[in-house]
Amino acid sequence: MDLQNLGLTALLALLPISELRGAIPFAVAKGMPLLQAAVFCILVNALAGPIAYLFLNTFHKLLYKWKAYKNFFDRFVERARLKVHESVQKYGYWGLMVFVAIPLPLTGAWTGILGGWILGMEKKKTILAVAAGVFVAGCIVTAVVGLGIGALSFFTKKI
């Protein structure tokens, strides 16, 4: 795999919409071995947690100085915490990990970090729960990509 495609793979793994669901199939389609693609993409996607916290803390602190943002944010967070307080108390970091582990749109590392941040969950534990979820999601996507490619090669040999 050339450097340009490696960079695109890393970008896909970091983007909130594609994350592992886009990065692993792309890397394999561009010639990277499946296991290597999985490990690379999981490691890059796990970096989304610290990057997201840095982004949230930096921009939030800047924006929080504006009264309109402060009022909107405080109301939004209060409503979010009231709605999911019971679930967070019940499932906590395990629930966050499972949420991130489901490889569907809007359930990845970025959403997990944002949810943990808004709900006031501990930063280090949130990052670890999200990283664990990323690992599980990576295993699921890798299995789907591997089985899909294996099935295609099986059918082409018979023709």
Side-chain angles (χ1 to χ4, degrees):
M1 174 179 267
D2 63 6
L3 196 55
Q4 181 180 3
N5 284 326
L6 189 64
L8 286 171
T9 300
L11 182 63
L12 285 171
L14 276 176
L15 286 174
I17 297 298
S18 56
E19 295 192 39
L20 298 171
R21 300 170 295 278
I24 293 172
F26 176 81
V28 171
K30 293 297 181 181
M32 185 182 278
L34 182 60
L35 184 58
Q36 184 181 352
V39 170
F40 178 74
C41 293
I42 289 168
L43 290 174
V44 171
N45 190 230
L47 291 175
I51 291 169
Y53 260 109
L54 179 65
F55 178 81
L56 288 168
N57 287 334
T58 302
F59 284 101
H60 173 67
K61 285 179 183 176
L62 291 173
L63 293 173
Y64 201 73
K65 295 176 183 178
W66 294 348
K67 187 176 181 180
Y69 174 81
K70 182 182 185 310
N71 290 337
F72 168 77
F73 181 81
D74 289 345
R75 279 182 292 168
F76 174 78
V77 168
E78 187 61 33
R79 276 191 306 221
R81 287 180 179 168
L82 285 173
K83 285 183 180 181
V84 297
H85 178 73
E86 231 176 83
S87 297
V88 171
Q89 292 289 20
K90 186 174 182 179
Y91 301 110
Y93 297 99
W94 287 104
L96 183 61
M97 183 198 80
V98 170
F99 174 78
V100 172
I102 301 168
L104 294 172
L106 303 176
T107 63
W110 289 93
T111 309
I113 289 292
L114 180 61
W117 182 77
I118 286 174
L119 296 172
M121 298 172 84
E122 187 183 321
K123 180 180 175 180
K124 187 184 277 188
K125 288 181 181 179
T126 298
I127 289 174
L128 289 173
V130 167
V134 164
F135 175 77
V136 174
C139 291
I140 293 169
V141 172
T142 301
V144 169
V145 170
L147 292 173
I149 291 172
L152 289 175
S153 65
F154 174 75
F155 288 116
T156 56
K157 288 179 185 174
K158 291 205 171 206
I159 295 178

